[in-house]
Amino acid sequence: MGLLTKGTPLTWEETVPYVEYIKKHGIVQFINLYHRLKNREGDQLKWGDEIEYTIVKFDHANRKIRVSLRADDLLQTLQAREMVNNITSEGNPYLWRPEFAAYMIEGTPGVPYGGLLACFNVVESNMILRRAEASRLLKKDESLFSISFPALGTNDFTDPPTAPNPHDENGAGRSIFFSDEGIYSGHPRFRNLVRNIRGRRGEKVAINVPIYKDKNTPSPFVEKFAFDDEDAKRSALPDHIYMDHMGFGMGCCCLQMTFQAVNIDEARWLYDQLTPITPILVALSASTPIFRSYLADVDSRWNIISASVDDRTREERGLEPLQHNKFVINKSRYDTTDCYIYSCSAPYNDIPLEYDENIYNQLLEGGIDEYLSKHIAHMFIRDPLQVYKERIEQDDAKSTEHFETIQSSNWMNMRFKPPPPDAPEIGWRVEFRPTEVQLTDFENAAYCCFVVLLTRVIISYKLTFLSKISKVGENMKRAQKRDAVLNQKFHFRNKLANCMAPPEARQNCPAKNPSFETEEMTINEIVNGDGKEFPGLIPLIRQFLDGADVDVDTRCTITQYLNFIQKRASGEIWTLAHWMREFVMHHEDYKHDSHVPDTIIYDLLKYMDEINKGEKHCENLLGCFRSKTDSKIPNAVRRAEEQLIMSLARRKNH
Ligand code: ADP
Ligand code: MG
Ligand code: MG
């Protein structure tokens, strides 16, 4: 959701004179925050998920489905309830926040989960109740989906109807497909980002997704658009689905997880260790095969969001010689990370980093070490897009707003999150950001618990999967391809390696003898083992659980999740992307020309809605699993686990 600040947002032209000032002070704010909190110790492992939902409305008479622009209505009630719950002793079971689109809402658990293994048994229940709470506010024929809507930007895709107007001088996006009414308007951040990305870039964003070529797809595939539009003429590529608005990317839904580490070192280390895992999750969670009602040759939304917020100028994209800008920049501000940030990981950083020497030196002189300085300086090649007229002058000793404005608009596969200045209970965290959101709560809980358990395994066994960072970028490209889980291979370490986690690592840096050895492995080999030396991520998790004292219900639930993920990895059950493609391919209205007409989208989502409500089941997609999820951890289980943790800690101290 990003930083939601109050004030009058500046246009790009109005922002330009303040860019250097904001960056300089953003860095000062980071340095101050770092020194204030660098010695913060002993935070617990806490974690939480974020799920984004799309509100839709079925038009049964016309077999058409539209996104319903009612996020603001729903949020008014959901957030009012939060205020009331906050004063009761029970607190909030969930929190609701706005997201980019006027048809989206984002939900999280009310408080983060803690370190008890029994927490894994409440995740799904929280997701179910969360969805139910928002669903109660829906009107007749509306439904709530945790998916990216496949017909964004098509004719008449919103309810109430809206029309794009590329000629509107005051328009934020000026898209030929996606009207600005599709942007959430309850906070100026979103519209302003759209306007300022276009302003900075100097033209509309251009998203070109390779089209899936079916037997009747015209070749080359070239569309005639409803508007005579210069940007479209210049940017739309043949054999691609062309899109021109931030909403096509940020209007998709995702699943993210945040973890709190015991201290800053562990957060930096964990950020690095999870980075090579991100492409694996993209392939495993693939859910987005249709864009603007066309079948794409990719299965996920990652590159689409990346292009949808690409504010680089033509100079920065290397299309014109540098004259007004400082750098040619290889990636959009939404993309995979270019560097690891823990000192021992440095030998794996093989991508040349762009950064401003002055900013880098400002960080070094401020007492930040080389690796963190490079990471922050590299983020700060991006300009602030969100500056509020009333908030330019800040107390840099207290505020981190200028730092956050740049940090929260660098959307990478991992995010290193410093503690907020005004929330003493929150420590150093990392966010795992690439996972595609799933249709059902069972699946979302399964992916979420899988990643969290993986962090436990990595920390407990001090495992490392680090590969050269360039290979992570390459893997991310492969992960988005159609059926990557079945057909692609990924650079991955096929031998288990230990890496000393902090604090030992500081004295005995394992990367003095780094191993760059990776092999090209399938997702099945990575997740389930290669039958040779590599045991597989899930067998490793099982081994970890065998050595831990987990209550029966939680172990049962986790087993269901792990079995499910194993089958997704082996291809025995399908990704949502694969399942959606199959549905389209076998629909009688499909003409094998890559176009997915409204009637198919309607039938597809109606079927998905029924699956979600438990009225239908689809084994190809979900297998046959049921967890023992519960809304609360039973007191006896909580006490037993807490006692065990205390006695282990006592034994360790002796
Ligand atoms: P974002 O910066 O991505 O908008 P937030 O910081 O609002 O996200 O929180 C996102 C997730 O972090 C939620 O799932 C929330 O439960 C979880 N969370 C909140 N506090 C903590 C914490 N101290 N440690 C770990 N996760 C937390
Ligand atoms: Mg979000
Ligand atoms: Mg997030």
Side-chain angles (χ1 to χ4, degrees):
M1 163 251 320
L3 186 67
L4 296 180
T5 314
K6 294 219 161 55
T8 319
L10 300 185
T11 63
W12 174 245
E13 288 70 31
E14 290 164 342
T15 304
V16 171
Y18 299 107
V19 164
E20 292 310 316
Y21 178 91
I22 302 280
K23 287 194 190 185
K24 196 163 173 221
H25 287 265
I27 294 290
V28 173
Q29 291 173 2
F30 176 75
I31 294 170
N32 289 339
L33 171 93
Y34 174 86
H35 289 296
R36 210 163 53 238
L37 296 165
K38 66 184 175 198
N39 295 325
R40 193 185 159 109
E41 280 290 338
D43 283 310
Q44 263 193 36
L45 180 91
K46 285 188 190 167
W47 56 280
D49 67 89
E50 290 166 72
I51 294 184
E52 293 167 357
Y53 304 86
T54 297
I55 312 161
V56 302
K57 182 157 185 188
F58 287 94
D59 173 352
H60 298 296
N62 295 304
R63 286 179 66 210
K64 164 123 184 139
I65 181 161
R66 302 177 175 85
V67 291
S68 172
L69 306 183
R70 289 220 306 126
D72 207 21
D73 286 356
L74 264 64
L75 285 167
Q76 302 270 349
T77 310
L78 293 167
Q79 295 191 318
R81 272 187 210 161
E82 269 174 34
M83 310 250 273
V84 175
N85 288 344
N86 246 350
I87 20 187
T88 68
S89 56
E90 291 286 297
N92 267 306
Y94 349 90
L95 299 174
W96 295 98
R97 296 292 171 263
E99 249 306 332
F100 176 84
Y103 53 81
M104 276 169 101
I105 53 175
E106 177 182 289
T108 66
V111 286
Y113 302 113
L116 299 184
L117 288 165
C119 290
F120 291 111
N121 208 32
V122 297
V123 178
E124 186 183 340
S125 172
N126 187 282
M127 290 174 179
I128 293 170
L129 295 170
R130 204 188 301 171
R131 190 190 291 264
E133 178 178 70
S135 297
R136 272 194 287 280
L137 305 175
L138 297 174
K139 291 188 176 159
K140 182 167 176 291
D141 298 331
E142 283 183 337
S143 198
L144 196 67
F145 277 96
S146 48
I147 62 161
S148 301
F149 190 71
L152 291 180
T154 57
N155 186 29
D156 188 25
F157 79 105
T158 64
D159 180 86
T162 58
N165 182 1
H167 307 303
D168 177 5
E169 293 279 313
N170 298 317
R174 303 185 63 175
S175 165
I176 58 175
F177 311 108
F178 195 109
S179 59
D180 283 345
E181 285 93 332
I183 307 169
Y184 179 76
S185 60
H187 191 280
R189 166 182 167 86
F190 304 105
R191 214 168 266 239
N192 191 46
L193 270 174
V194 174
R195 182 185 58 175
N196 287 0
I197 285 173
R198 187 171 55 79
R200 188 180 188 289
R201 181 179 165 98
E203 58 191 5
K204 282 193 286 189
V205 292
I207 309 162
N208 281 290
V209 191
I211 192 151
Y212 169 72
K213 280 281 185 86
D214 207 342
K215 61 183 184 218
N216 297 330
T217 311
S219 206
F221 170 80
V222 178
E223 278 185 283
K224 191 161 172 6
F225 302 119
F227 293 91
D228 188 36
D229 182 71
E230 286 307 314
D231 284 17
K233 270 188 222 151
R234 194 172 46 238
S235 306
L237 300 177
D239 288 334
H240 286 73
I241 309 158
Y242 169 70
M243 294 171 277
D244 64 349
H245 193 279
M246 183 169 163
F248 285 105
M250 286 293 183
C252 290
C253 294
C254 73
L255 166 66
Q256 296 171 337
M257 301 134 216
T258 295
F259 313 99
Q260 179 167 276
V262 292
N263 57 27
I264 182 173
D265 277 339
E266 191 185 79
R268 290 171 67 172
W269 182 80
L270 194 56
Y271 175 99
D272 290 357
Q273 301 305 331
L274 287 176
T275 297
I277 306 293
T278 53
I280 311 307
L281 262 292
V282 170
L284 255 182
S285 64
S287 301
T288 331
I290 305 170
F291 295 92
R292 205 159 59 67
S293 291
Y294 284 103
L295 283 173
D297 212 24
V298 301
D299 270 357
S300 55
R301 79 217 186 291
W302 184 264
N303 272 359
I304 288 85
I305 311 195
S306 173
S308 82
V309 291
D310 189 355
D311 70 340
R312 290 172 302 163
T313 63
R314 292 180 69 78
E315 293 181 16
E316 287 170 334
R317 280 176 281 143
L319 302 174
E320 288 171 15
L322 282 178
Q323 218 178 342
H324 306 97
N325 295 117
K326 284 188 195 149
F327 313 98
V328 173
I329 304 178
N330 278 324
K331 291 178 178 172
S332 159
R333 56 200 296 156
Y334 189 117
D335 215 314
T336 50
T337 68
D338 284 329
C339 64
Y340 294 114
I341 59 176
Y342 192 60
S343 54
C344 298
S345 319
Y348 297 91
N349 282 334
D350 64 338
I351 299 181
L353 288 187
E354 307 96 2
Y355 53 81
D356 184 327
E357 285 291 338
N358 291 333
I359 289 184
Y360 178 57
N361 288 331
Q362 189 189 347
L363 284 154
L364 289 181
E365 283 157 20
I368 315 286
D369 62 90
E370 176 187 346
Y371 306 108
L372 195 52
S373 293
K374 281 190 179 151
H375 166 70
I376 302 285
H378 182 50
M379 276 195 345
F380 269 66
I381 58 175
R382 313 291 172 175
D383 288 343
L385 294 170
Q386 198 76 270
V387 177
Y388 295 90
K389 194 166 127 195
E390 302 82 359
R391 305 185 68 95
I392 292 167
E393 295 295 322
Q394 300 260 331
D395 178 353
D396 292 340
K398 290 196 185 125
S399 168
T400 55
E401 206 170 301
H402 292 333
F403 168 72
E404 278 296 332
T405 195
I406 303 228
Q407 150 103 336
S408 74
S409 59
N410 266 270
W411 296 279
M412 295 178 291
N413 47 344
M414 293 295 302
R415 185 178 283 161
F416 172 63
K417 292 177 170 176
D422 51 355
E425 73 286 3
I426 302 182
W428 295 90
R429 292 148 306 149
V430 296
E431 185 181 17
F432 189 90
R433 301 171 39 80
T435 315
E436 300 251 304
V437 74
Q438 305 294 301
L439 176 64
T440 66
D441 295 315
F442 173 88
E443 295 165 280
N444 284 315
Y447 279 89
C448 195
C449 293
F450 171 55
V451 175
V452 184
L453 281 163
L454 207 52
T455 65
R456 303 287 180 94
V457 169
I458 290 174
I459 293 175
S460 304
Y461 296 154
K462 305 189 191 317
L463 291 181
T464 181
F465 297 107
L466 287 197
S467 62
K468 288 188 179 168
I469 194 97
S470 61
K471 293 203 164 156
V472 178
E474 172 57 30
N475 283 350
M476 201 64 150
K477 290 193 186 123
R478 297 181 184 186
Q480 300 170 60
K481 296 208 165 132
R482 181 160 49 87
D483 282 333
V485 78
L486 305 176
N487 305 327
Q488 293 295 315
K489 290 199 166 190
F490 298 85
H491 303 284
F492 206 76
R493 280 195 186 209
N494 63 342
K495 294 188 184 62
L496 282 188
N498 279 112
C499 160
M500 260 174 260
E504 297 97 319
R506 256 182 287 178
Q507 286 103 40
N508 186 7
C509 187
K512 279 180 192 145
N513 295 311
S515 162
F516 298 124
E517 227 179 289
T518 55
E519 195 156 295
E520 301 213 13
M521 296 170 74
T522 61
I523 294 287
N524 188 29
E525 288 168 339
I526 294 168
V527 173
N528 292 322
D530 64 359
K532 293 178 278 182
E533 227 175 299
F534 188 69
L537 300 178
I538 291 211
L540 281 167
I541 294 176
R542 288 224 165 84
Q543 197 183 327
F544 165 79
L545 290 169
D546 289 342
D549 219 341
V550 196
D551 68 278
V552 182
D553 282 359
T554 305
R555 181 72 200 240
C556 170
T557 294
I558 295 176
T559 302
Q560 298 287 303
Y561 294 159
L562 297 181
N563 289 349
F564 162 74
I565 303 261
Q566 286 197 287
K567 291 197 176 190
R568 276 265 164 98
S570 70
E572 200 175 320
I573 52 182
W574 299 345
T575 60
L576 183 60
H578 186 95
W579 182 87
M580 288 169 76
R581 268 180 209 287
E582 287 290 318
F583 187 96
V584 173
M585 291 293 192
H586 293 101
H587 195 288
E588 59 184 13
D589 294 352
Y590 181 58
K591 299 202 176 71
H592 291 274
D593 57 356
S594 315
H595 182 243
V596 190
D598 284 349
T599 51
I600 304 186
I601 304 262
Y602 169 84
D603 286 344
L604 175 68
L605 268 74
K606 193 155 169 289
Y607 191 15
M608 288 162 84
D609 200 35
E610 287 162 355
I611 293 177
N612 221 345
K613 291 179 171 147
E615 293 161 10
K616 282 212 172 111
H617 184 74
C618 181
E619 243 174 76
N620 285 338
L621 177 69
L622 298 167
C624 231
F625 299 103
R626 178 166 297 175
S627 75
K628 294 208 164 184
T629 187
D630 200 346
S631 59
K632 283 209 171 73
I633 301 175
N635 279 340
V637 170
R638 180 183 293 280
R639 268 198 306 275
E641 215 185 320
E642 280 169 355
Q643 271 166 7
L644 190 74
I645 292 173
M646 273 178 347
S647 72
L648 286 176
R650 251 181 266 129
R651 222 180 300 159
K652 208 169 148 195
N653 290 340
H654 279 298

